[in-house]
Amino acid sequence: MSVPDKMLVCPYNKAHFIFRQRMPAHLIKCGKKYKGEVLMMCPFNAMHLFTKKSKEDHYKECEEYVLSLQKQSMQSYYQ
């Protein structure tokens, strides 16, 4: 099943499809009820949650992480 661009899948419950603007509030509410494996928060986007084992995989796919690397590279280039 395809998810529309405006919606995201909840990392706590894959059956939850949440509008992007509602995701921060949903993560707080859903996280309180979650009983599964501990999820880490991405330091580049608080709406990204992942397991400790999948940290490296997440950083390979995280657009915000790539943008931060590019920004650091540009800053060092101009200094």
Side-chain angles (χ1 to χ4, degrees), residues 19-70:
F19 284 106
R20 182 178 300 276
Q21 67 269 19
R22 297 283 306 140
M23 184 58 85
H26 176 81
L27 289 175
I28 292 168
K29 181 180 175 183
C30 202
K32 290 178 181 178
K33 299 175 188 175
Y34 182 68
K35 301 292 185 213
E37 188 175 358
V38 175
L39 298 180
M40 299 174 58
M41 184 184 299
C42 175
F44 304 100
N45 185 332
M47 292 191 297
H48 295 171
L49 300 175
F50 49 87
T51 62
K52 195 171 189 175
K53 292 182 272 184
S54 65
K55 181 179 179 178
E56 294 299 321
D57 292 334
H58 173 75
Y59 286 153
K60 290 177 186 174
E61 299 173 4
C62 181
E63 293 177 18
E64 285 82 359
Y65 176 66
V66 173
L67 290 173
S68 73
L69 291 177
Q70 290 173 347

Side-chain angles (χ1 to χ4, degrees), residues 65-78:
Y65 176 66
V66 173
L67 290 173
S68 73
L69 291 177
Q70 290 173 347
K71 184 177 177 181
Q72 287 175 355
S73 175
M74 293 298 289
Q75 287 175 343
S76 65
Y77 177 77
Y78 288 110

Side-chain angles (χ1 to χ4, degrees), residues 1-20 22-24 26-27 30 39 47-50:
M1 178 163 144
S2 159
V3 180
D5 289 340
K6 293 181 181 180
M7 298 191 82
L8 301 171
V9 178
C10 174
Y12 294 115
N13 185 336
K14 303 299 181 198
H16 294 170
F17 298 98
I18 312 300
F19 284 106
R20 182 178 300 276
R22 297 283 306 140
M23 184 58 85
H26 176 81
L27 289 175
C30 202
L39 298 180
M47 292 191 297
H48 295 171
L49 300 175
F50 49 87

